Amino acid sequence: MPTEPETDYDPELGRKFIFVTGGVMSGLGKGITAASTGRLLKNAGFDVTAVKIDPYLNVDAGTMNPFQHGEVYVLKDGGEVDLDLGNYERFLDIDMTFDHNVTTGKTYQHVIEKERAGDYLGRTVQIIPHITDDIKRRIREAAEGNDVCIIEVGGTVGDIEGMPYLEALRQFAHEEDEDDILFTHVTLVPYSKNGEQKTKPTQHSVKELRSIGLQPDILVGRCSDKLDIDTKEKIALFCDVPTEAVFSNPDVDDIYHVPLMVEEEGLDEYVMERLDIADEALPEAERENRWRDLVTQQTEGEVDVALVGKYDLEDAYMSVHEALKHAGLEKNVDVNVQWVNSEKMSDHHADRMREADAVVVPGGFGARGTEGKIEAIRYARENDVPFLGLCLGFQMAVVEYARNVLDLAGAHSAELDADTPHPVIDILPEQYEIEDMGGTMRLGAHETDIDAGTLAAALYGGESCTERHRHRYEVNPEYIDDLEDAGMVFSGRAGNRMEILELAPDDHPYFIGTQFHPEFRSRPTRASPPFVGLLEAVIGEDAHAATTEEVSH
Ligand code: GLN
């Protein structure tokens, strides 16, 4: 787990803070609305960052089950965080750090450690002011060096866990100048049976917020459609905001269109006015419009990609989905992801895989569904189907090769079969002694050296890449020579650690696996090379000869 910095912040720096809370129910996509607003501010020339507050007691998201919470997102400093941070990184095209995710576990742990160290000697340590002070410190430190910081409070107003945070925000508002702070509240506007947009849930939620001492400046209504003017007026009247401070957030097919929607309603302009930064914004004609061009371009063709995993939940593989989408934006094709349940390879899931143009086996933990993944890899290898294996997918590609090409019966990863006669994937030596599960894997950005003349070199356009990791196991050095003699090429290494595997062009059109997770660095405006290569292989471009425009990877 990354260590926490404790720097002195200067409250006079004049940064702007946009707080985003949610009402009525969770899952309204307030993060996407916030990130979209941030994107527009960035297009207008401002440096924007974000903080995600997760009011749970876990110190970080690393120990959480993807089925309940969606994927664990990994930052470059190795922070294991909520997937919302991935959205902020993608929308704002920034690299965040572990301290941009504030959790109750982290805050309490820090305050209690300070108490044990004697830092509060003589005093009673309390939620107010010690926890609330620590929350405010974290927000200010994370905002450092930026013009605008968006702070999203997870959960909904009224949750017991969220109370200390809302209290901290209330204090925060008193400590900063009025035009440096903006409160945005996102709520649900449902339809009644007779087709009327209902504002009562919004009214109640704002009432709750006000009882804690917070008055929203902006209200965003999540609704299947845009809010009618009557609805906006009613919300404005009951919630004590001007009508022009009420915005819609209607359903859209593609989350990358939300910034366009936000812009259409003028939320970004309103935010700039209220924060008194409109004069510093770039004139409309000079604003960055690459995002708009990319997400509105006319695509030519479709690619079906089979994603072979154990969770029937898009959020569990969110960054992989997004990375495929980004590659599609770069290659101008629509990517349809077909979920293939690796536990059901004997039924229609296998048919679905066979109908797809490419196969991706993503990361994972635990034995469930791994035989199906191995089967999928074999199918892709033997049938020249473009294949990308990520982390566990990379490891299973080694297992498959060992079993079916090297004839090592029962070869496996020591993680998944402790008694395997051939542990071709084994625990990292530095992990032997580690017993704690939280924050102890090989995490975050590490550099990989790439061999010249390989597929990996063509994809990354250079001799190295720096990608993010999250693993405890690796290729067992004892099997490397045998695997290479049998045709597997380890084209990327970090010391004697195998990072990238591939098959030679004579053996396969596109077969690549990475011990790292390239999906975490993929952005709509900067697609990840292994994903781009996968699509190129499908649409008939020679991925082995490809060079990406971006050599910065
Ligand atoms: N379970 C494997 C390991 O720990 C792979 C991890 C992953 O896919 N993120 O090495």
Side-chain angles (χ1 to χ4, degrees), residues 363-365 391-392 395 415 470-473 517:
F365 294 81
C391 205
L392 185 70
Q395 297 174 354
E415 176 193 9
R470 182 171 188 250
H471 66 122
R472 238 183 267 284
Y473 292 80
H517 291 272

Side-chain angles (χ1 to χ4, degrees), residues 273-289:
E273 289 293 336
R274 289 295 304 259
L275 291 174
D276 203 17
I277 53 174
D279 291 345
E280 294 155 51
L282 290 172
E284 299 259 358
E286 286 170 36
R287 291 188 192 174
E288 162 76 56
N289 51 17

Side-chain angles (χ1 to χ4, degrees), residues 174-356:
H174 286 287
E175 293 164 7
E176 302 282 335
D177 289 345
E178 211 181 320
D179 60 9
D180 285 345
I181 298 241
L182 211 52
F183 283 98
T184 304
H185 191 58
V186 183
T187 68
L188 178 72
V189 178
Y191 272 106
S192 69
K193 257 200 239 129
N194 52 11
E196 202 187 334
Q197 294 179 341
K198 304 303 284 181
T199 65
K200 196 65 95 190
T202 303
Q203 294 178 40
H204 278 290
S205 173
V206 170
K207 203 165 141 196
E208 179 98 39
L209 202 56
R210 291 166 90 176
S211 73
I212 309 164
L214 294 174
Q215 166 62 38
D217 301 297
I218 291 175
L219 288 165
V220 178
R222 274 290 290 119
C223 185
S224 43
D225 300 307
K226 286 189 180 178
L227 300 186
D228 302 332
I229 183 65
D230 294 355
T231 311
K232 285 189 175 182
E233 279 170 359
K234 199 162 174 191
I235 290 175
L237 181 66
F238 281 98
C239 302
D240 209 10
V241 296
T243 310
E244 60 271 22
V246 184
F247 295 88
S248 318
N249 185 359
D251 291 349
V252 285
D253 291 340
D254 178 358
I255 55 166
Y256 294 152
H257 285 189
V258 178
L260 315 188
M261 195 60 81
V262 167
E263 193 171 35
E264 200 182 303
E265 287 235 338
L267 174 54
D268 54 330
E269 295 298 334
Y270 189 77
V271 165
M272 287 190 263
E273 289 293 336
R274 289 295 304 259
L275 291 174
D276 203 17
I277 53 174
D279 291 345
E280 294 155 51
L282 290 172
E284 299 259 358
E286 286 170 36
R287 291 188 192 174
E288 162 76 56
N289 51 17
R290 176 121 191 272
W291 181 289
R292 172 182 295 276
D293 294 348
L294 269 177
V295 304
T296 54
Q297 73 192 349
Q298 200 59 45
T299 46
E300 289 161 14
E302 289 184 34
V303 173
D304 288 335
V305 177
L307 182 66
V308 186
K310 66 178 171 185
Y311 296 118
D312 178 14
L313 177 74
E314 200 171 316
D315 279 1
Y317 305 110
M318 182 188 267
S319 294
V320 176
H321 277 260
E322 297 305 309
L324 285 165
K325 224 160 100 180
H326 305 159
L329 291 176
E330 181 158 329
K331 300 314 297 180
N332 211 7
V333 290
D334 282 321
V335 179
N336 306 317
V337 177
Q338 309 288 350
W339 182 61
V340 173
N341 184 341
S342 59
E343 288 182 285
K344 294 194 180 148
M345 295 302 276
S346 53
D347 66 14
H348 65 279
H349 281 265
D351 298 338
R352 201 185 286 168
M353 179 183 73
R354 283 188 204 98
E355 280 159 22

Side-chain angles (χ1 to χ4, degrees), residues 19-20 41 55 79 106 186 218 250 270 335 344-345 384 401 477 541 553:
F19 293 105
V20 183
L41 296 176
K106 223 186 239 183
V186 183
I218 291 175
Y270 189 77
V335 179
K344 294 194 180 148
M345 295 302 276
D384 285 349
Y401 213 74
E541 292 177 21
H553 282 280

